[in-house]
Structure formats: structure tokens, C-alpha cells
Amino acid sequence: MEASPQLVEYFRTQMRTDPDMASAVAAIRTLLEFLRRDKGETILGLRESLKWATDCLTEVDSSVAVSSGGELFLRFISLTSLEHQDLSRCKKVMEERGELFLEKISLSRTKVAKLCHTFIKDGAKILTHSSSRVVLRVLEKAAAEKKRFTVYVTESQPDTAGKQMADALRRLNVPVTVVLDAAVGYVLEKVDLVIVGAEGVVESGGIINKIGTYQMAVCSKAHNKPFYVVAESFKFVRLYPLNQQDVPDRFKYKADTLRTVSDLSDEHPMIDYTPPSLITLLFTDLGVLTPSAVSDELIKLYL
Amino acid sequence: SGLGMFSTIICGFLSPLVVKRLPEHVQVDDPAVVKRLAKKLERQQIPLRSDYGYKVSLFSHLHQYSRKAPLTQLLSIPSTVIHPSIVRLGLQYSQGIVAGSNARSVALLHAFKQVIRDYTTPPNEELSRDLVNKLKPYISFLNQCRPLSASMGNAIKYIKKEISNIPSQCKEEEAKTKLLKCIDRYIEEKIVLAAKAISKYAIEKISDGDVILVYGCSSLVNHILCEAFEKSRKFRVIVVDSRPRLEGREALRRLVQRGISCTYVLISALSYILPEVSKVFLGAHALLANGYVMSRVGTSQIALVARTFNVPVLVCCETYKFCERVQTDSFVSNELDDPDDLMVTRKGKTQLENWQDVSSLGLLNLVYDVTPPDFVDLVITDLGMIPCTSVPVVLRVKNLDQ
């Protein structure tokens, strides 16, 4: 079994070398490397150690995507592991399938962008929340198709990630305005559509995303503006929150906060849950889905 | 290979335009259908039960029977056509002694086990065909005593399939033991183990300090609450009840016996009590293919008011209760109970005693109603937690398994 600090170090290096890569992809790369270096003797032992490795990574980066990506990876490679008698051959098959999985998901952002950019019409005004690399890719594709559009980005406290998004869009020569989180209701009457990313897509068809997304969704519903979500399929997670309280604490707060602070009632949660009734469509690499179709896809992926 | 490998390809066979015949029990106002039923019952030597009392016009297409005239009074004892355990079962159904979806299915399966034990194949006949034919009059009889529930329908389909799959060279004793084992396994898997699996998922959704609202008496919901209490979750329960069945009292008795703190209200106090509630747990009689939940009358009212107060509504239902039927309202297919149940005697006076004499008065005692999927947040089944709209996917997955 590989020592835990080596694992974490590999994960952090992956994140550093390619800042455009999703944290889930980095986690899966780390798990694949872990699989290669594993010196276990039994398949069951291998599964156990992979699960332990996923838990380690979730402790470092407590996002929903890491945990969902890890679980999907495990399911994907271990579904046919029982065919071969020889452990080394099994491991080889698992590694090949892991590479295949990684290849597929690295193409997922392009697939999503291809599906979504057609929904952005010429002259559209788009509102987005915080900084999402998938949304950025979609807007890049739309700009490459010579569409003219303007973007409003919320500043997204407490880490003001919206400013990074605005800088990236300015580099694409897209007119962009940074608005306060509190100005979402004010700006919605000018806007044609709302596009946000997601950290996790839950079984009900709702999403878990940066805090402030739920507010934006409620306001969009009140203004009858379409609310689109773009997410890769490895973000589908087997969670079913009934309301905001039902989201587990390990996703709401950063990993260090959970370790150091004992009374969480003073802490600000980093994410919130948007129920499926407020979402118009989800764009994923599995296709354009309505929120009720997400459960069907999840049943196909997990059952 | 890849993520796409998980999707299965299902071949749909396009059949020519076939008009499916409506079941007889929703066409009572059509005299041709009633005549056809009478002929069928005469052939099977089962007495025809007559309707009782004035029926409200919107529901005149449904049967309305009186409990004071059970079908067994018209039978000759001992009956040559119907097995005695089926006669007993029919009486238990029509008098309301055995009530509740799971209880009725289990009683039906036990009665069928007795039938199979006492069965002997007549000469020149095959067990796989003759036994199925023997069961047909029993099912008509039970249907006359009380309309079959969706869960009973699925159980009967399963048994018929198992019987017809018995190979012809199988000896009678062997076949009978095999069938008895199948029935036991069905009860064990679909009802007992399913309840355990559902409790496991449901307990995750019960947190300390919760105030849970339940309606009527659902064996599954009671089981979940008792299990959660054993696992030391701190919660209290509000039991909502309604006339004329007052089933909530049974649920109240069961929960209080375990030591769970309960409050008891009638359904008219629902909007008063809902601000205190954190979750609503409902049982289901059947889950329809379009995601609608068929349950005891009053359930859709509770779901509607809970949605207005933004309280999550969780429906607990085993997968054997999923049926392929589609229904969007509570009128098209329902059950009318004895209208005399609505009469109430207080201080020696019964107000509606002579309701039959008043020509413009009709008493309506509905048994089921249908809740749309927008009011239900989550359905907990033995396969996991699914949204209401995913019922067709589960049906598809189940059909593939079989």
C-alpha cells in the first residue's frame, strides 16, 4: 500500500501542472497511478485499497466531484474483474480500462461545449455564476462560432472566483461585466439565459454548486428565464438531498475547516443544493437531459 | 466498451393497433359488460354480487357493495367449486378483517399454498395447465368479494407464470414442493427483505430532532419508524387519521407500544399542524407507470398541503407494487366502499339512518386516490431512492431481469 503523503503529493502535482483539468480527472489519474504501483495480492484487497485511496483524496479536496469521480472509476474498472484468474492479468485489464475511462472523460468537456453552444443565439446576454471551466469552454466554442454575446458574472464571495472568470472572458474579447452577488435579481430582467456549471449532479436531477446558485435559480424561475446547467457525466453522484440541510457536511465546508473547527454553525457553507424543479436542461456528455432523465442515466450507470 | 456499455438495447415490437379491453370492474354502467360478466360467473359457478344503494353519478361506473351482504351467503356450503381457504379469504376481505396491501397479498399467497397442497392432478391432465384453470374461478370469486389490489395482481401473475413453467415430465409431488418453495421465496424476497432494504435507506433520511408525519396505517412505514427508533434516532411522530376507517388508531397503537412519542390529529387539522412537521412519510398501494402514487384516500391531500408548506414528502413502496397501468385522476379506476359506513351514531341518534329514502342524497365512500409526481419528493424502494418520474425505468429494469 502506498503511503498516504505520496498519494496526496501526486494529486497536488497533477492539479498544479494542468490548472484547466477538473479535480475529478486529477483524482482519477492519481487512482490509476495508485493501481499501477499497488503491490496487493488479491482483488478484494485491491478494491479495498482503491477505496481507501479515494477516501484519502476526498480528505484533501472535499468536493463532490472527487468523490463521485472516484466511485465511478471504481465501478468502471471492477465490473469485469472477475473474468480472469490471474491477478496480474486482471490488473492489466483494469489499467487498460482505466486509461480508456480517462480518455473518454477528457473528451467530455468538448462534447458538452458542442451540445450547448447552439443554445446561445447571436446577441444573447448570458448570466453565469462564479468560475466554471466547463462554462468557459462553452463560451469559447460559442465565440469561435462567431457569435456575439455579452456575459454577466457574479463576483461570488467569499473567494471572488467570478473575477477570474471575467479575466478569462476578457482574453477572449467577450464583453463581460462583474456584478455583485446581491445584484442577481436586479440584472435578470436584462438577461436572456442563465448558464452555470455544477460540482455534482444528484440523483433527483438537482445540482450541487457554489453557494449562490440556488438564489440565482429561484430568481430565474420567477423571471421565467431558462436555467441551464453544464456538467460532465463523471459528476453524477449517488446522493439524494431533500433540502439544504440534507446535504452532508463533508461537501459543504472545506476539508481543513472540517478538521479544525468543532462548531460548524458559525461557518459559511461553500455550496448549496438547487432542486430539479428550478432547472430547465442539463448539458452532459451523455446528451441534453431533462432533470428527470438524470435518474434514468444514473440507474444505467450504477445498476 | 466504455460508459456506453452500460446502456442496453431493448427491441420494441410494434404491434398492430390493438384496442385493449377495459377491465370489467370499471364499466359497471355498461349493461353489455355486466351481462358478459354474469355469463362468465355462471359458467364458473360463482354467484354474482349485486350492487347496493344509490351511486353518485361520477362513480356510477364502479361497483358499490354492502358489507351486510357478503358473497358467501349465496354460496352452498360446502362449495364444490371453491376451495374452503379461498372462501374464508374472500370473507376476510369483504368484511375488512384482512386489510392493507401487504397483508392482503400475503394472505392470498398463503391461501394459494393451501390450494396447491390439496390439489391432485386429474387423469389425462397436465398440472401446468389444469392448476392455472383451477385458479381462475377462485380469482373471480375473490374479485367479487373485494376488487383485487395491484400487488395481488402482480402476485397472481407471478404464480401463474411459475405454474405454467413447470416441465411436463415433473412428478406431481416434486412440482407441488417446487411451487410452495417459489411462493415462500416470493414472500421472503419481495415483502420481508424489501422492507429491510427500504428501512435501511429510509433511516438515512431520518435525523435527530425530526418531526415525522404519517397518514393512516401503512405496515411498511410503521416498520421503518420502529427500526429507526431501535437505532436510537430521536424523533417524534404525528399520526393523521380520517373517517370512516380510522386506520390511524392502529398505527398509533403500534408506535406507542414501542415507546415512540406520538401526536394524533384528524385530517381536518392538517394545515394547522404542518408548520411543525419536518418530513412526511407515506405508504403506497401501488405506483403507476406515469409516476402517480395510488394510495389511501386523503394521501393526495396531505401531499398537496405538505408541498405548499415546503415539507419534503417521501413515499415508501416495494417494487412488487409497481404496475404498468397509467392513471391521472382518481375517478377512472377506484373502489367504492360500503356507503353505510359514513353513518355515525351519537347519543343514540343516527342522522343519516334513512338516507336511502331521500332521492337526491348519495353517500360516497372512496377508498383510493391518486397523487401526482410533482407533490412527491422521493420514492424509497428496495432498489434504492428514486424520483417519482423514474418508475418506468425500474419497470424496464425489472422486465429485463425476468
Side-chain angles (χ1 to χ4, degrees), chain A residues 213-274:
Chain A
T213 314
Y214 178 49
Q215 250 157 251
M216 199 180 273
V218 173
C219 291
S220 315
K221 187 86 184 194
H223 282 267
N224 276 322
K225 307 281 178 180
F227 186 85
Y228 297 132
V229 172
V230 286
E232 304 98 312
S233 64
F234 58 78
K235 290 185 175 158
F236 283 21
V237 65
R238 295 218 75 178
L239 216 63
Y240 204 125
L242 295 169
N243 47 26
Q244 307 296 337
Q245 313 295 3
D246 217 12
V247 181
D249 279 342
R250 64 179 194 275
F251 296 136
K252 275 197 206 162
Y253 307 99
K254 287 212 166 81
D256 329 316
T257 324
L258 286 170
R259 266 198 297 267
T260 51
V261 176
S262 53
D263 181 18
L264 287 167
S265 58
D266 273 337
E267 293 297 313
H268 298 291
M270 296 296 290
I271 53 135
D272 62 21
Y273 165 65
T274 307

Side-chain angles (χ1 to χ4, degrees), chain A residues 240 242 246, chain B residues 198-214 220-237 260 278-281 314 316 378 380 385:
Chain A
Y240 204 125
L242 295 169
D246 217 12
Chain B
I198 294 176
S199 313
K200 193 167 69 93
Y201 290 118
I203 287 174
E204 285 169 34
K205 289 291 172 205
I206 299 178
S207 21
D208 288 341
D210 262 348
V211 179
I212 298 177
L213 187 126
V214 298
L220 186 56
V221 174
N222 291 340
H223 178 91
I224 292 172
L225 293 176
C226 295
E227 285 285 302
F229 193 71
E230 305 264 299
K231 296 224 164 48
S232 321
R233 291 274 200 277
K234 309 267 174 301
F235 59 91
R236 65 184 181 91
V237 176
I260 304 175
S278 59
K279 288 187 180 72
V280 177
F281 271 77
L314 288 78
C316 308
L378 173 62
I380 310 181
M385 299 192 269

Side-chain angles (χ1 to χ4, degrees), chain B residues 300-370:
Chain B
S300 61
Q301 192 174 326
I302 296 204
L304 171 66
V305 184
R307 162 65 76 202
T308 328
F309 280 87
N310 261 328
V311 174
V313 174
L314 288 78
V315 169
C316 308
C317 184
E318 300 95 332
T319 47
Y320 87 104
K321 288 185 189 156
F322 284 23
C323 69
E324 305 253 346
R325 222 151 41 95
V326 169
Q327 210 176 313
T328 50
D329 58 59
S330 316
F331 298 95
V332 109
S333 176
N334 209 325
E335 196 186 318
L336 295 176
D337 211 358
D338 192 346
D340 291 337
D341 284 348
L342 294 182
M343 297 194 292
V344 105
T345 308
R346 279 211 186 92
K347 299 186 185 157
K349 274 207 297 211
T350 313
Q351 294 287 33
L352 292 168
E353 199 156 16
N354 302 316
W355 70 274
Q356 306 254 30
D357 302 334
V358 184
S359 58
S360 50
L361 180 63
L363 295 187
L364 182 64
N365 189 357
L366 277 179
V367 181
Y368 297 118
D369 73 12
V370 159

Side-chain angles (χ1 to χ4, degrees), chain B residues 62-211:
Chain B
L62 299 170
H63 283 295
Q64 185 172 277
Y65 298 130
S66 164
R67 198 163 296 133
K68 290 198 278 284
L71 196 58
T72 43
Q73 279 177 348
L74 304 166
L75 277 181
S76 61
I77 306 289
S79 163
T80 45
V81 180
I82 306 177
H83 192 280
S85 57
I86 300 283
V87 176
R88 182 176 67 171
L89 188 66
L91 193 60
Q92 283 173 330
Y93 282 165
S94 65
Q95 299 300 93
I97 299 170
V98 172
S101 204
N102 280 343
R104 288 209 281 164
S105 303
V106 173
L108 176 74
L109 289 168
H110 281 302
F112 275 178
K113 271 172 69 177
Q114 190 58 44
V115 167
I116 291 174
R117 272 190 217 112
D118 295 339
Y119 171 78
T120 41
T121 328
N124 299 335
E125 288 282 358
E126 262 189 45
L127 183 140
S128 54
R129 257 180 294 219
D130 188 60
L131 186 52
V132 178
N133 288 339
K134 272 260 163 27
L135 289 180
K136 285 201 181 114
Y138 299 167
I139 295 165
S140 307
F141 172 74
L142 290 174
N143 212 359
Q144 289 285 291
C145 291
R146 190 175 165 190
L148 294 180
S149 65
S151 50
M152 285 163 73
N154 285 343
I156 290 172
K157 250 192 264 185
Y158 173 77
I159 292 182
K160 281 194 181 162
K161 191 173 73 103
E162 287 299 313
I163 296 175
S164 31
N165 282 345
I166 300 267
S168 46
Q169 59 268 40
C170 200
K171 278 201 280 285
E172 187 175 305
E173 275 314 307
E174 220 183 288
K176 289 203 310 194
T177 359
K178 187 158 172 276
L179 285 173
L180 292 175
K181 264 214 268 285
C182 276
I183 294 182
D184 280 332
R185 202 182 52 223
Y186 187 83
I187 297 178
E188 182 65 27
E189 274 177 24
K190 307 280 182 187
I191 302 177
V192 178
L193 286 178
K196 283 212 183 79
I198 294 176
S199 313
K200 193 167 69 93
Y201 290 118
I203 287 174
E204 285 169 34
K205 289 291 172 205
I206 299 178
S207 21
D208 288 341
D210 262 348
V211 179

Side-chain angles (χ1 to χ4, degrees), chain B residues 266-284:
Chain B
L266 288 181
I267 196 166
S268 28
L270 188 62
S271 55
Y272 176 77
I273 200 105
L274 254 168
E276 294 179 18
V277 173
S278 59
K279 288 187 180 72
V280 177
F281 271 77
L282 299 171

